[in-house]
Amino acid sequence: MIRTWHKRLLSTIAAFLIVPSCLAAQTSSATSQASAPVQRSHGGEPTHAQLLRGAWGPYRSNNDLLFYHLDIRIDPEKKFVSGKNTIRFKMLKDDSRIQLDLHDALNIDKILLGQTPLHYERDSGAVFVDFPQPLLANHTYSIDFYYSGTPIQTGRFGGFTFGKDPSGHPWIYTACEGIGASIWWPNKDQWHDEVENMQISVAIPNDLVDVSNGKFMGKKDLGDGYTRWDWFVHYPINNYDVSVNIGNYQHFSDRLGHLPLDFYALPEDLEKQFTQAKGMLQAFQHYFGEYPFAKDGYKLVEVPYSGMEHQSAVTYGNHFANGYLERDWTGVGISPRFDFIIIHESGHEWFGNSVSAADPSDMWIHEGWTTYLEGLYVEYMYGHDDAIKYLNGYKPKVKGEEPIITAHGINGEPPIDQYFKGALFINTLRSIVNDDKRWWKLLHDLYQHFKYQNIMTEDMVAFFNQQTGMNLTPIFNQYLRHTAIPTLELKFDNGAVSYRWKVDEPDFQMPVRVGKKDNWQIIHATTDWQTMKTPLTKEDFDVATDLYYVNVTKE
Ligand SMILES: [Zn+2]
């Protein structure tokens, strides 16, 4: 399904980096960050492979994905995956070639249109499939893409991992955000276009359990020592969210109203921490509306890495303890009250999985928003002041080395500032709106407006401008497309203060609260100097920097 998206030129390539993962885990500590496999390319043109993976090229844009049926068998002993993906799509123009993707480590066994084998050409992870006659615009086609092999294990969370649990049972799992789903199954591996729904069938040895995305439809004993587990995803889904989690899982169920809750953990860990899921769901439903994937239910699945937002089957590996990997994540005493991974990764169900970015360049729509959702959870549970404190605890994590939004069309991953600076920016927006009743309605309406869509930042800016009647574009641009945050310059002279914003955006203007706490005064600062009288001295004149993420200089 192709949704709202504006055509944009590939912007100038600045320094970029690719970090395979969702998640704040990549910043968990200096050590773990150093161990993350990071590919950097500074200042160069994107490579041929990056463009093939990242661009919305002619053989991707000529068709619209409708449906996948991933139907595979996984042999833990041989570490071998085989099977097919049935790909249904609608042509948007007459053409005889489409682009799919599959990692070079995997074999293509055959690609069939009905009974007709199709020719294909592989190039750097891309698979160009050729049809004997042109496919016709507005017609729907289905091909069967057969493949096999051993997917590579890579990246911080494993890519595709054939592992073992502490008792020696097989533990096989996928976590492929960044490097991409084509590392383990053939698909149209990009962010612009999603299937409307998906079937996932996974055959595994009889004594194991597979948890994939969507609603569990049943399992079938295949009579050869293998059982097939069938799952159905009733909603659009990102490729990187599609997952298998195979292990010696125990299962228990609960409900929140009509919503089925299903938890899968190793026998020794069962039930320990997952009760927090209910409060999380209540908090986010309060702000945004119904859980996005109600027909599929909500699942938490234990894994040996920290966690990932796999749609409706969120994976969890946060040591069954509060905080983040047993640390006070934002360092202000609030993080230890809740399980960071349950809150953060599940928050992605609203921002990341339901509202998705149409290019990894704009991934702050996933990570900045979900980090802000942590603050909303804190506000719902513990009140406004703790939420502001929690979010401001993220300030020391901001690096401020490059803009949050990176070049489009190269499958590049934005810097870590997309999380913390992104959340602090959204908290600033709340102060600019300066009316909490209106802010809560804006958040709710924003989510409802863009749910199940793939959007770019421009779509979100247009929504905010339209709803608030303000021109917020220069503010979004300053925070997201420049490195520096705004600096409020203050000059004191004889009972007066002069003020202006020092920024990169020429038309930037932003109200800000100044003066004394509990008696703030709002000034409408621009990039031009303005002067007002003040009874306060330079030392006593404050700026509400916990409500606005800005720098202040005084002279
Ligand atoms: Zn995340």
Side-chain angles (χ1 to χ4, degrees):
M1 175 160 80
I2 296 174
R3 281 156 263 124
T4 323
W5 202 73
H6 302 307
K7 285 186 183 142
R8 283 171 198 101
L9 293 172
L10 183 71
S11 50
T12 320
I13 310 305
F16 63 91
L17 58 91
I18 299 171
V19 185
S21 76
C22 147
L23 162 90
Q26 55 191 247
T27 59
S28 57
S29 70
T31 342
S32 62
Q33 198 167 6
S35 68
V38 177
Q39 301 173 305
R40 282 176 186 275
S41 168
H42 285 289
E45 290 296 310
T47 64
H48 177 64
Q50 285 165 334
L51 286 170
L52 281 178
R53 255 307 293 287
W56 186 238
Y59 303 114
R60 282 175 164 168
S61 59
N62 67 3
N63 69 88
D64 178 12
L65 282 175
L66 299 175
F67 174 74
Y68 292 138
H69 179 194
L70 180 63
D71 184 3
I72 55 175
R73 172 177 288 242
I74 296 178
D75 184 333
E77 291 277 301
K78 293 186 181 152
K79 300 190 174 180
F80 196 76
V81 178
S82 59
K84 70 174 193 291
N85 187 19
T86 299
I87 303 170
R88 194 157 72 227
F89 55 96
K90 186 172 89 174
M91 290 303 284
L92 301 175
K93 54 183 281 198
D94 295 359
D95 212 340
S96 55
R97 168 172 267 211
I98 61 168
Q99 181 188 342
L100 300 170
D101 303 270
L102 184 67
H103 195 278
D104 289 340
L106 297 167
N107 300 314
I108 298 175
D109 298 327
K110 59 188 170 182
I111 305 175
L112 299 180
L113 174 68
Q115 299 304 313
T116 309
L118 298 173
H119 292 284
Y120 56 85
E121 192 182 312
R122 301 188 79 163
D123 181 358
S124 321
V127 181
F128 293 99
V129 182
D130 289 311
F131 296 87
Q133 277 99 35
L135 305 181
L136 302 176
N138 295 316
H139 285 62
T140 295
Y141 299 90
S142 183
I143 61 173
D144 296 316
F145 192 131
Y146 288 82
Y147 77 111
S148 58
T150 303
I152 60 166
Q153 182 178 350
T154 182
R156 180 172 171 74
F157 299 118
F160 191 106
T161 304
F162 284 97
K164 296 254 191 239
D165 73 14
S167 318
H169 295 92
W171 207 1
I172 302 165
Y173 51 88
T174 58
C176 57
E177 190 187 17
I179 190 151
S182 53
I183 193 177
W184 66 277
W185 59 285
N187 61 79
K188 184 176 172 179
D189 203 359
Q190 40 68 57
W191 283 32
H192 187 144
D193 187 11
E194 294 178 13
V195 288
E196 316 233 7
N197 42 54
M198 177 168 185
Q199 191 175 341
I200 304 169
S201 303
V202 183
I204 48 174
N206 288 338
D207 56 341
L208 294 172
V209 173
D210 171 58
V211 189
S212 289
N213 319 78
K215 182 178 166 65
F216 180 54
M217 305 304 283
K219 57 182 179 172
K220 185 172 193 295
D221 190 332
L222 300 175
D224 59 354
Y226 275 66
T227 295
R228 194 185 67 224
W229 296 70
D230 289 308
W231 299 85
F232 193 86
V233 181
H234 292 84
Y235 304 88
I237 184 169
N238 296 339
N239 291 325
Y240 74 76
D241 271 336
V242 174
S243 60
V244 299
N245 301 283
I246 297 161
N248 180 36
Y249 287 120
Q250 302 290 305
H251 170 219
F252 70 103
S253 307
D254 199 349
R255 293 188 94 80
L256 179 68
H258 297 294
L259 180 67
L261 312 178
D262 290 280
F263 305 108
Y264 297 86
L266 299 183
E268 59 269 31
D269 294 324
L270 194 56
E271 286 194 68
K272 273 185 200 165
Q273 184 84 349
F274 294 162
T275 49
Q276 290 191 38
K278 278 190 180 176
M280 173 279 297
L281 288 162
Q282 284 164 334
F284 296 148
Q285 292 192 138
H286 167 78
Y287 291 108
F288 300 108
E290 189 187 29
Y291 173 72
F293 309 109
K295 281 188 246 175
D296 292 345
Y298 171 80
K299 297 177 280 300
L300 276 172
V301 188
E302 183 180 357
V303 289
Y305 58 89
S306 56
M308 181 60 70
E309 66 259 30
H310 297 137
Q311 184 170 311
S312 86
V314 173
T315 47
Y316 174 89
N318 198 31
H319 302 181
F320 292 87
N322 283 355
Y324 179 39
L325 297 172
E326 297 173 59
R327 286 167 305 126
D328 179 352
W329 177 228
T330 71
V332 292
I334 294 170
S335 199
R337 297 181 200 165
F338 61 90
D339 189 313
F340 173 79
I341 287 293
I342 292 179
I343 308 310
H344 178 93
E345 301 308 336
S346 305
H348 277 306
E349 296 281 49
W350 281 264
F351 286 87
N353 301 347
S354 180
V355 180
S356 306
D359 190 295
S361 59
D362 288 44
M363 192 175 163
W364 82 281
I365 292 170
H366 300 202
E367 300 300 352
W369 275 91
T370 298
T371 304
Y372 183 70
L373 262 61
E374 298 164 20
L376 292 180
Y377 173 79
V378 173
E379 184 148 353
Y380 182 81
M381 302 296 278
Y382 309 109
H384 169 268
D385 292 357
D386 280 353
I388 297 297
K389 193 174 163 192
Y390 178 85
L391 289 170
N392 277 278
Y394 272 127
K395 280 183 180 170
K397 295 185 194 293
V398 177
K399 291 186 187 301
E401 292 168 350
E402 52 189 316
I404 286 178
I405 296 179
T406 52
H408 303 327
I410 55 166
N411 194 40
E413 184 163 315
I416 202 70
D417 282 0
Q418 64 172 319
Y419 290 80
F420 318 127
K421 185 179 171 185
L424 288 160
F425 162 58
I426 298 165
N427 189 48
T428 304
L429 262 187
R430 174 179 181 174
S431 305
I432 294 167
V433 171
N434 192 30
D435 176 345
D436 277 349
K437 210 173 147 201
R438 199 170 172 205
W439 177 246
W440 301 135
K441 181 166 164 30
L442 264 172
L443 292 191
H444 178 268
D445 293 352
L446 171 84
Y447 170 73
Q448 292 294 331
H449 186 73
F450 290 118
K451 65 184 178 183
Y452 311 125
Q453 295 187 39
N454 294 33
I455 63 170
M456 296 296 275
T457 301
E458 288 86 339
D459 302 310
M460 194 174 273
V461 177
F463 179 87
F464 270 101
N465 285 345
Q466 202 251 327
Q467 295 290 314
T468 60
M470 301 179 195
N471 176 20
L472 299 170
T473 308
I475 298 178
F476 273 84
N477 285 347
Q478 182 64 41
Y479 280 96
L480 304 176
R481 301 182 193 279
H482 296 285
T483 303
I485 60 172
T487 295
L488 185 66
E489 296 184 309
L490 299 174
K491 283 185 185 171
F492 294 86
D493 185 29
N494 250 341
V497 58
S498 300
Y499 54 89
R500 73 167 182 187
W501 288 115
K502 183 166 177 283
V503 286
D504 303 281
E505 280 288 309
D507 298 324
F508 186 91
Q509 45 182 304
M510 186 167 95
V512 61
R513 275 168 249 191
V514 300
K516 276 317 263 180
K517 194 171 175 158
D518 302 323
N519 191 25
W520 292 122
Q521 170 186 3
I522 295 182
I523 56 171
H524 294 271
T526 68
T527 54
D528 295 323
W529 286 108
Q530 301 175 67
T531 304
M532 66 174 185
K533 289 205 160 70
T534 178
L536 297 170
T537 63
K538 178 175 156 185
E539 289 68 32
D540 289 339
F541 190 96
D542 288 331
V543 178
T545 51
D546 55 345
L547 304 178
Y548 304 81
Y549 183 42
V550 299
N551 292 320
V552 178
T553 62
K554 291 179 180 179
E555 59 180 84

